[in-house]
Amino acid sequence: MSHSDEYSLESLHDRFIQKFGRAEQQTSVFFAPGRVNLIGEYTDFTGGLVFPCGVDRGTTLLIRPTYNNQYRFASTNFDLMAQLDQEEISRTYGDNWINYPLGILDQFSRRGIELTGFDCLYSGNIPNGAGLSSSASIEVVTAYALNSLLRTELPLLDLVRIAQKAENDFVGMQCGIMDQFAVAFAKADHAIMLDCHSLEHQQVPLQLDGYAIVVTNTNQRRELNESAYNDRVRECQRALELLVPDTGISHLGELEPEQLDSHEFLFVNDAIPLQRARHIAEENKRVRAAVPALVAGDLQQFGRMMNESHDSLRDLFEVSSEPLNQLVRLAREQPGVLGSRLTGAGFGGCTVSLLPADQVESFIKHVGPAYTKATGLTADFYPIAPGNGVGPVDRENGA
C-alpha cells in the first residue's frame, strides 16, 4: 500500500487530472486524520469515557462536482477505480473501500439533499487494518467535503453522526461514535475526553515535553471476530441487567468501582459479566484520572494508567492476544518507557507506547527483532504526533 506522504499536493493534482481529465469546475482539497485511543478501551458502547487524539496521518481528498449524475472514485492506495450512475450509488460493493464514501452519499440523500455527481481521489497514509481508523477518516473527510461543496451548513457533530450511521447502516460495522468524533474534533497537541453517552467532551492539552507516542502494529492476522466483540457486548448487557434494579444506573458507563464492590453478590452465577463490568468501571475511573494528570504534566502517572489499562484488557476483558502481550512486555522493558497498552479492538491490531523522544530509534531497534523472535511476526512502528481534525487544505502551502 502506498502512502500519500509520498505525494505532494501538486502530484496529487496531476494524478487527479490523469484519472478524471480537466474540467471548468474547481477541485477542492480536504484532509481528515486517523486517530489513536490513548486510554479508555471498550468503554464506548457502554456509554463510558474514551480518550483519543488525532494523528498526523490521514486521508487527503481531492474532489470536484460534475453535475452529470456520475460518481467516480479513485485512490492512490488501491487499484480499483469506480464509475457509478445515480441509481448505482445506493448499494454496497462487496468488501470494498468505496463503500465508505458511498455510505456518506447515502446518508446525505436520505436527508433529502440533492446530489448531482462528483469526481473523488483519495490518498491515505494511515496503515490499513492497524486500528487507526482509516475508515472513519475516509467517512469524515467525505462528509465534510460534501457539506462544504453543497453548502448544506450542517454542524460538525451532525457530520460525525452521518459518518457513524454510514458505518453502522451502510457498511454494516456496529462501531461506537468515538472514531468519527475524534477524527472530526481532534486538535493538535490535545487529546479529547469524550463521554460516549452524553457526547460532552473536553479538549485536554497533551504536552509531551520530550516524550513521544509510538504506535506499533502487531501485524497479527485479526482474529476479531465479530463474534468475540458481540460476546463482550452481550456480557456487558448482562452485567447491566443485574445491576439496574439495585443501583438505578441507566448505562454501564455510570458504574463506579465502589458501587460494583458493594453489589458483587448480584453476580453469584455470573462470574464473566462481573469481570467485564469491573474492567468498564475501573477503565472509566482511569480516564477521569488521566485529565488532571495531563493538565499537571504528570506523564509518569499517565503511563502507569496506560499499563493498568492493558493489564485489565488482558485479564478482565480478555481481548488481548499473545502477540499484543509480547509487544507490550518488550516495550515496557525498554529504558524510559512510561506506559504501553493495546489500543483499539484487540485480538491483534496495535499497541500505543509513551517513551522519551530521544529513545524512539533505540526502542524500534530493540523491540522489533525481539518481537519477531518471540512471535515470528514483523511489527511496524509509527511515531505519531497529536494532529488537527478534519478541514480544508490550502492548495498554496498544503496546510
Side-chain angles (χ1 to χ4, degrees), residues 353-370:
S353 305
L354 184 60
L355 60 145
D358 60 8
Q359 295 288 328
V360 170
E361 277 181 43
S362 161
F363 177 86
I364 294 169
K365 195 173 92 184
H366 288 95
V367 173

Side-chain angles (χ1 to χ4, degrees), residues 65-71 86 105 113-118 150:
T66 59
Y67 307 115
N68 63 4
N69 293 333
Q70 294 288 306
Y71 298 82
Q86 193 81 28
L105 291 170
I113 297 161
E114 193 182 342
L115 303 170
T116 54
F118 293 96
L150 297 169

Side-chain angles (χ1 to χ4, degrees), residues 189-264:
D189 302 319
H190 287 72
I192 302 169
M193 183 170 80
L194 170 65
D195 180 321
C196 294
H197 182 70
S198 66
L199 298 189
E200 286 176 22
H201 66 286
Q202 179 184 349
Q203 296 280 1
V204 181
L206 196 55
Q207 302 298 337
L208 291 172
D209 293 333
Y211 280 82
I213 295 168
V214 177
V215 173
T216 310
N217 191 351
T218 60
N219 284 313
Q220 175 186 5
R221 267 194 75 77
R222 257 267 169 71
E223 295 312 321
L224 171 72
N225 29 82
E226 296 241 345
S227 68
Y229 181 86
N230 293 337
D231 288 345
R232 296 303 176 282
V233 172
R234 199 168 49 248
E235 289 151 2
C236 289
Q237 282 166 343
R238 174 65 182 152
L240 183 62
E241 282 164 22
L242 292 168
L243 287 160
V244 163
D246 276 41
T247 63
I249 60 171
S250 69
H251 54 284
L252 209 52
E254 279 186 290
L255 181 68
E256 300 283 351
E258 300 72 24
Q259 260 179 314
L260 186 58
D261 291 343
S262 59
H263 289 87
E264 272 194 24

Side-chain angles (χ1 to χ4, degrees), residues 44 157 160-161 164 175-182 194 196 199:
D44 58 344
L157 188 54
V160 167
R161 289 197 171 105
Q164 186 198 7
C175 61
I177 201 166
M178 170 178 70
D179 295 355
Q180 292 80 7
F181 193 100
L194 170 65
C196 294
L199 298 189

Side-chain angles (χ1 to χ4, degrees), residues 91-112:
R91 66 183 186 87
T92 55
Y93 291 85
D95 185 16
N96 201 294
W97 70 270
I98 65 166
N99 293 330
Y100 298 116
L102 288 178
I104 300 297
L105 291 170
D106 179 61
Q107 285 296 321
F108 269 78
S109 61
R110 281 170 187 273
R111 282 166 171 72

Side-chain angles (χ1 to χ4, degrees), residues 21-206:
R22 295 186 184 279
E24 285 173 28
Q25 290 82 10
Q26 192 184 341
T27 304
S28 303
V29 189
F30 301 90
F31 175 82
R35 69 94 190 97
V36 62
N37 193 26
L38 299 174
I39 196 166
E41 215 66 71
Y42 271 96
T43 46
D44 58 344
F45 67 79
T46 60
L49 302 170
V50 291
F51 199 70
C53 67
V55 302
D56 51 347
R57 292 168 166 262
T59 306
T60 302
L61 167 60
L62 282 70
I63 182 171
R64 77 178 172 208
T66 59
Y67 307 115
N68 63 4
N69 293 333
Q70 294 288 306
Y71 298 82
R72 295 190 290 184
F73 301 96
S75 166
T76 62
N77 306 101
F78 304 101
D79 291 334
L80 171 107
M81 179 169 158
Q83 177 162 347
L84 305 172
D85 295 328
Q86 193 81 28
E87 59 274 11
E88 293 176 305
I89 60 170
S90 57
R91 66 183 186 87
T92 55
Y93 291 85
D95 185 16
N96 201 294
W97 70 270
I98 65 166
N99 293 330
Y100 298 116
L102 288 178
I104 300 297
L105 291 170
D106 179 61
Q107 285 296 321
F108 269 78
S109 61
R110 281 170 187 273
R111 282 166 171 72
I113 297 161
E114 193 182 342
L115 303 170
T116 54
F118 293 96
D119 288 336
C120 303
L121 174 66
Y122 293 84
S123 188
N125 63 351
I126 306 173
N128 237 21
L132 296 179
S133 290
S134 52
S135 58
S137 180
I138 295 171
E139 289 156 356
V140 170
V141 78
T142 307
Y144 190 96
L146 292 183
N147 192 43
S148 176
L149 296 180
L150 297 169
R151 297 193 167 84
T152 40
E153 297 185 5
L154 295 168
L156 194 54
L157 188 54
D158 281 12
L159 301 180
V160 167
R161 289 197 171 105
I162 281 171
Q164 186 198 7
K165 278 190 80 62
E167 182 112 23
N168 292 168
D169 300 350
F170 195 86
V171 180
M173 180 65 195
Q174 297 310 310
C175 61
I177 201 166
M178 170 178 70
D179 295 355
Q180 292 80 7
F181 193 100
V183 164
F185 282 93
K187 195 173 162 188
D189 302 319
H190 287 72
I192 302 169
M193 183 170 80
L194 170 65
D195 180 321
C196 294
H197 182 70
S198 66
L199 298 189
E200 286 176 22
H201 66 286
Q202 179 184 349
Q203 296 280 1
V204 181
L206 196 55

